[in-house]
Amino acid sequence: MSGLNQIKGVESSCVRVQAGVKLADLHDYLAKQDLEVSFSPEIGDATVGSLVVCTSKDSSIDGPGYLSALVTDVTYVDEDGCLVSLSLAKDPSALLAFTCSYGMMGIVVEAVLEVRRRIAITTSGYAFMTRSGEDAAAHLAQAQQQHDALFAILVPGKQHLYVEARDKASKSAARLARSAALSAVRTLGVNGFVKAFMQRTKYNCFLRGTPMGKKMAKLLAKDNPPTTHYRRAFVNRYPAVEPGSRRLDFSFVEFDLPQLQSVVAECWERHCEFKQRTGWAPSGYGVYFVPRGWTQQRALQHNVSGAKALAKPCGNFSGPPGVSFMLDPITGDCDDPRWLQFNLEYSAWAVSRGATPSLSQSKGLLPGQAGLPQQLTRSRFLTPHYAQFVE
């Protein structure tokens, strides 16, 4: 995609970008104009084109937690080699269907995304020693109700729960974040707790297979005051993976928020049982909370006819307005055959509990556990992986 990596510029309340633009580069470009997209997942090397048509997630504040909800226009190459343009204003149903296609309808060339003025965020870190899955779920539920957004890592084997609470900053903190005194925070990311945890603890521990609970406890023993920064601070760039080297891997599952208590409790039990049976288990579970219903709200803003009933036709975050949570197993040793075995069992269990998996991010999925509507595919683009899920 190196030949399609230009940011063409800001147009009113949107930005026009080519499909090969990386998310971190887009955040950097917009920050110079005091703007942002309200989506900032950890993996900054993902391209806009891939995020337009595939699953993405972010515990976002005052914005959708998936990039496809920000798309107002898209241009792609269809199966006949022709350029096709869709817009939320003129072709809302067709545009929404295309964002659910996993790229099986055509190749994204360009997209227009909504932007806004940057919002300062205050991040606070907490750690809990949890006695059970029910105990961990109670902490998560309370934190989710008390904060604007939430990211967490659950480590059942160490009885540890790490919570990163994200809230809109106070006016005074926002003024500080906008000042030159904190320019290093905007450039380097969150100083202190969040950056230290993301880069030193989660990334390194998962890759090296070291005990995460001890590392977390050591980090949390230090003074970690709340930090005010911008959304760009959440977006990281990771080094390229060398052949044969360990790498971070995860599997995506989406549940409905009312299931939080029972699902976390069952996940805890399954984790411990799998560890006892095989001698291995994931390093932890990433927990994200993503509100649904942004498509309808944005459609109303764009005066789309019938917007109240407009929604993604299928796939992740296509349910009625509400909140979804992800409980994603994570490992730094994805070559271990037990990782595949775990995901085969985990995906089957999640689907049996009503979870919505992702064809691009869920591991161990089997035909029949997820589907891709045939009308969202074209034979020229359909790959063997996605072909097994066409229905």
Side-chain angles (χ1 to χ4, degrees):
M1 301 298 288
S2 59
L4 284 172
N5 61 354
Q6 294 183 14
I7 301 175
K8 293 193 171 181
V10 174
E11 305 171 359
S12 183
S13 60
C14 296
V15 62
R16 185 178 297 273
V17 301
Q18 292 184 324
V21 171
K22 294 182 178 180
L23 192 62
D25 294 331
L26 177 59
H27 272 281
D28 289 341
Y29 173 87
L30 293 173
K32 296 176 181 178
Q33 304 177 59
D34 201 29
L35 298 172
E36 66 180 9
V37 287
S38 62
F39 175 75
S40 53
E42 186 181 337
I43 304 175
D45 291 320
T47 62
V48 170
S50 66
L51 295 172
V52 166
V53 293
C54 291
T55 303
S56 58
K57 64 180 182 297
D58 167 39
S59 292
S60 190
I61 295 178
D62 278 357
Y66 46 104
L67 184 131
S68 62
L70 298 175
V71 179
T72 64
D73 300 82
V74 66
T75 299
Y76 69 96
V77 179
D78 70 6
E79 69 273 25
D80 297 319
C82 300
L83 286 175
V84 177
S85 295
L86 301 173
S87 72
L88 186 63
K90 297 179 181 179
D91 320 284
S93 296
L95 175 63
L96 289 172
F98 183 77
T99 65
C100 300
S101 69
Y102 293 99
M104 298 298 103
M105 291 181 67
I107 301 171
V108 179
V109 175
E110 186 176 277
V112 179
L113 310 175
E114 289 187 348
V115 299
R116 66 185 185 192
R117 189 180 182 188
R118 287 194 297 176
I119 296 176
I121 298 169
T122 296
T123 304
S124 306
Y126 308 93
F128 303 94
M129 295 301 296
T130 51
R131 301 180 300 276
S132 64
E134 290 84 357
D135 188 26
H139 285 301
L140 285 169
Q142 183 179 34
Q144 193 270 334
Q145 294 173 0
Q146 293 177 344
H147 297 280
D148 294 331
L150 199 69
F151 167 67
I153 291 182
L154 176 66
V155 190
K158 299 297 179 182
Q159 299 185 329
H160 214 107
L161 174 68
Y162 161 79
V163 173
E164 179 186 278
R166 305 170 179 180
D167 296 283
K168 283 191 290 187
S170 64
K171 291 183 178 180
S172 58
R175 284 194 295 270
L176 285 174
R178 200 171 293 277
S179 71
L182 288 183
S183 60
V185 175
R186 294 197 297 269
T187 302
L188 300 175
V190 184
N191 58 1
F193 192 94
V194 180
K195 199 69 172 183
F197 180 81
M198 288 294 187
Q199 292 191 344
R200 294 210 312 260
T201 306
K202 186 175 83 171
Y203 188 65
N204 288 339
C205 289
F206 286 157
L207 291 188
R208 297 174 184 172
T210 55
M212 190 173 175
K214 293 181 180 179
K215 292 287 184 179
M216 291 172 66
K218 183 178 179 180
L219 178 64
L220 291 166
K222 300 179 181 179
D223 181 27
N224 292 291
T227 306
T228 298
H229 54 90
Y230 289 107
R231 182 169 270 99
R232 168 64 180 88
F234 294 127
V235 183
N236 296 317
R237 298 179 191 269
Y238 291 117
V241 177
E242 299 296 331
S245 63
R246 298 169 70 95
R247 64 181 177 85
L248 186 67
D249 199 11
F250 70 95
S251 185
F252 174 102
V253 284
E254 175 195 354
F255 296 94
D256 197 24
L257 185 59
Q259 295 178 285
L260 182 66
Q261 186 77 28
S262 60
V263 164
V264 171
E266 288 184 34
C267 174
W268 183 289
E269 293 178 2
R270 295 181 65 85
H271 176 98
C272 297
E273 187 276 332
F274 191 87
K275 178 65 177 292
Q276 184 177 22
R277 172 161 45 98
T278 67
W280 183 94
S283 302
Y285 299 79
V287 186
Y288 301 79
F289 294 87
V290 175
R292 301 186 303 269
W294 283 97
T295 300
Q296 294 94 319
Q297 293 184 35
R298 289 177 54 251
L300 285 168
Q301 294 171 358
H302 288 268
N303 297 316
V304 175
S305 178
K308 290 185 178 180
L310 194 63
K312 291 184 65 179
C314 61
N316 299 115
F317 314 119
S318 60
V323 177
S324 294
F325 75 93
M326 274 52 66
L327 189 62
D328 299 351
I330 309 172
T331 186
D333 192 8
C334 56
D335 293 328
D336 191 311
R338 291 171 294 186
W339 172 235
L340 175 58
Q341 179 186 351
F342 177 86
N343 279 306
L344 286 168
E345 296 181 18
Y346 190 79
S347 292
W349 164 74
V351 170
S352 74
R353 297 290 277 104
T356 304
S358 163
L359 297 184
S360 63
Q361 291 192 8
S362 298
K363 306 292 191 301
L365 274 182
L366 299 176
Q369 294 178 342
L372 178 62
Q374 188 170 7
Q375 63 267 29
L376 300 185
T377 69
R378 303 292 182 268
S379 58
R380 183 174 182 178
F381 302 112
L382 190 61
T383 66
H385 168 73
Y386 290 101
Q388 62 184 325
F389 297 104
V390 173
E391 57 185 18

